Structures are given as C-alpha cells and as structure tokens.
Amino acid sequence: MAIDPALILRAVGTGLLFGASAGLAPGPLLALVVAESVRGGTGRGIRVAAAPLLTDTPIVIGSVLLVGALAGGTGLLLGAVALAGSLFVLHLARETWTTAGIPEPGASGSANPWLRGMAVNLLSPHPYLFWLTVGAPTVVAVAAGGAAPVAAFLIAFGVASFVHVAFLSYVVAGLAIAAGALMLMNKSN
C-alpha cells in the first residue's frame, strides 16, 4: 500500500491539535502536575506529565479494539474507573490540604511523582472517555491508510500533549519559586 502524504499530514495535524487540547484539559492529572511542580519543581511536574506516555498505551489499545469491534456497552467500566479515580483524587486533595506551608524550591516529596501520575491517569475517566469517543475512532479512520498514518497521529498526539504539560510545569514551578522569594523578602522586612 502506498503511503498517502496528505493523509499523513492530516493525521499529524489532528494528533497535534488533539494532543495540545488533551494536555491542557483540566482534570486530576493536570492538578497533580501543578501540585508536584509547586512542591518539588519542574522535574517532579514533568515526571507526572510523562506518565500518560506509558499508561495511555493499554487504554489506547483497548479503546481501539472496542471501537473497532463494538458500538457501545462501556458505561459500567467507565463508571468503575470514575469511582476509583474520584477516591484517589480525594486522597491526593487531603494530602495537599494537609501540607504545611510552601516547600523550599526544589524540595521533593516522599512519593514518586511518576508513579503518582500513572495512578492518577489510570484511575481518571478522562483518558478513557477521550480514547473511546475521539481518539480510537480517529485511529480506526486513519488506519485505512496503513500503519504510517496511525503512527503519525499517535506520535504527534503524545508529543503535543507532553510538551504542553511540561511547559505548564516549568511556568508553575517558576511562579512557586517567585512566590517563595517574595514571602521570604516580606518576612525579612
């Protein structure tokens, strides 16, 4: 099968657009990126932001298989994921609310941000809803053109999503450092 350059470009453009939107969509993962960036700097925020690059893989595969084979019937699974995710997010909220003061810039928490990000992403309904309703149908549609458009879409999606969230982590960590410096200056006056 010949590779269609126009289909590849459409797949890349769609992947970039969807990835940028998904990367900055409000939700538990973005909240965790912000919290970890404030707690421990850009590095911790970026580790959280990178979690979906791994955890979305089984979600994508399962969603594509479901969309390719079935027309519906995923309500119970999404409900269970949403319940588990909401309980985990409540745990994270309690943890954040009980944190005393603003941490020193670059201070790290006890939990691994990569593992926390993976847990939040797997327990959040957001990736399931996206991949079942938008992502998987797009993959199935471009798969008619072969593996190259599918790879182009998925790579563009992952890059755009990660870059947007990593940049947000950088900005938030910088703002946290600036806020901490201002607080220190006010204390010394």
Side-chain angles (χ1 to χ4, degrees):
M1 173 184 290
I3 295 176
D4 180 4
L7 182 58
I8 299 285
L9 286 175
R10 283 195 305 274
V12 168
T14 303
L16 290 173
L17 180 65
F18 288 173
S21 299
L24 294 179
L29 187 68
L30 192 61
L32 184 61
V33 168
V34 169
E36 290 293 335
S37 297
V38 169
R39 279 190 190 123
T42 303
R44 286 184 69 88
I46 287 176
R47 285 194 292 279
V48 172
L53 297 177
L54 177 65
T55 57
D56 271 10
T57 302
I59 297 169
V60 171
I61 292 168
S63 298
V64 168
L65 292 174
L66 270 174
V67 168
L70 303 171
T74 60
L76 183 60
L77 175 63
L78 286 176
V81 169
L83 179 61
S86 64
L87 293 173
F88 188 71
V89 169
L90 284 174
H91 165 72
L92 293 175
R94 182 196 54 79
E95 199 175 78
T96 299
W97 288 330
T98 58
T99 299
I102 296 178
E104 293 294 318
S108 62
S110 59
N112 182 335
W114 171 262
L115 295 176
R116 289 168 58 103
M118 289 188 343
V120 165
N121 198 57
L122 284 172
L123 294 173
S124 171
H126 290 202
Y128 298 93
L129 290 171
F130 171 80
W131 286 107
L132 284 170
T133 60
V134 178
T138 302
V139 169
V140 169
V142 299
V150 171
F153 171 77
L154 293 174
I155 290 168
F157 178 90
V159 168
S161 179
F162 176 74
V163 167
H164 277 85
V165 178
F167 179 73
L168 176 70
S169 174
Y170 176 77
V171 169
V172 167
L175 291 173
I177 290 169
L182 286 173
M183 289 178 65
L184 289 174
M185 285 176 29
N186 285 338
K187 280 185 179 180
S188 65
N189 291 333

